[in-house]
C-alpha cells in the first residue's frame, strides 16, 4: 500500500491541482490524505473521482479555510471511523490490519515535512 500525505494549502489554485496530479501520476498512491484543501465537499469529490479515487472521507473547508480529506482507490478497503475538526481516523484493510489517524498538526510536528509518500 502506498500513502501520499500533503498539506496542499488550497486545491483551488491551478499550481496545486497540477502538483497533485503529478504526485499521483508519479507515485500511484492507494490512499491520499490532504489538509488545507480549501474546497467544498462536492468539488473535492468530483476532483478525486476524475483522479481515480472513488471513495473519500472528508471534513470540508469552512469558506476558504481548512479542509481535511482521505481518498482511496479500489486496491484497498478503508473504513472511516471518525471525522473531527482536526483529524480523520480510518481502518485500512490490506494484508495486515492498519489503523490510521490523520492529524495534520501532529504529522507536521513529528515529521517536519510538507509532502510525504510512504510505501
Amino acid at each position: 500500500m502506498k500513502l501520499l500525505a500533503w498539506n496542499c494549502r488550497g486545491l483551488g489554485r491551478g499550481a496545486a491541482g497540477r502538483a497533485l496530479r503529478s504526485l499521483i501520476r508519479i507515485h500511484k498512491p492507494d490512499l491520499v490524505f490532504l489538509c488545507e484543501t480549501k474546497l467544498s465537499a462536492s468539488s473535492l469529490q468530483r476532483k478525486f473521482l476524475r483522479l481515480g479515487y472513488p471513495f473519500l472521507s472528508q471534513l470540508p473547508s469552512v469558506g476558504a479555510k481548512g479542509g481535511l480529506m482521505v481518498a482511496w482507490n479500489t486496491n484497498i478497503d478503508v473504513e472511516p471511523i471518525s471525522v473531527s475538526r482536526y483529524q480523520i481516523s480510518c481502518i485500512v484493510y490490506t494484508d495486515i490490519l492498519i489503523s490510521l489517524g490523520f492529524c495534520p498538526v501532529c504529522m507536521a510536528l513529528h515529521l517536519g515535512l510538507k509532502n510525504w509518500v510512504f510505501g
Side-chain angles (χ1 to χ4, degrees), residues 26-103:
I26 292 166
H27 298 289
K28 298 175 180 48
D30 298 304
L31 189 139
V32 177
F33 166 72
L34 298 177
C35 59
E36 295 294 323
T37 60
K38 300 181 182 179
L39 284 180
S40 69
S42 59
S43 294
L44 275 173
Q45 197 159 21
R46 282 192 305 273
K47 183 176 288 286
F48 274 85
L49 192 55
R50 285 192 307 265
L51 290 170
Y53 296 85
F55 310 107
L56 63 91
S57 179
Q58 64 179 310
L59 176 67
S61 64
V62 178
K65 295 182 181 181
L68 299 174
M69 64 126 268
V70 174
W72 60 96
N73 61 25
T74 56
N75 295 337
I76 58 173
D77 187 18
V78 176
E79 180 183 349
I81 301 298
S82 68
V83 176
S84 69
R85 186 173 175 191
Y86 298 109
Q87 83 170 32
I88 299 175
S89 297
C90 301
I91 295 176
V92 179
Y93 299 94
T94 60
D95 295 339
I96 57 171
L97 179 65
I98 302 169
S99 178
L100 296 173
F102 297 100
C103 175

Side-chain angles (χ1 to χ4, degrees), residues 9-25:
R9 297 186 179 111
L11 276 180
R13 304 172 324 193
R18 287 188 299 275
L20 177 64
R21 284 190 300 278
S22 178
L23 286 168
I24 288 173
R25 185 177 56 250

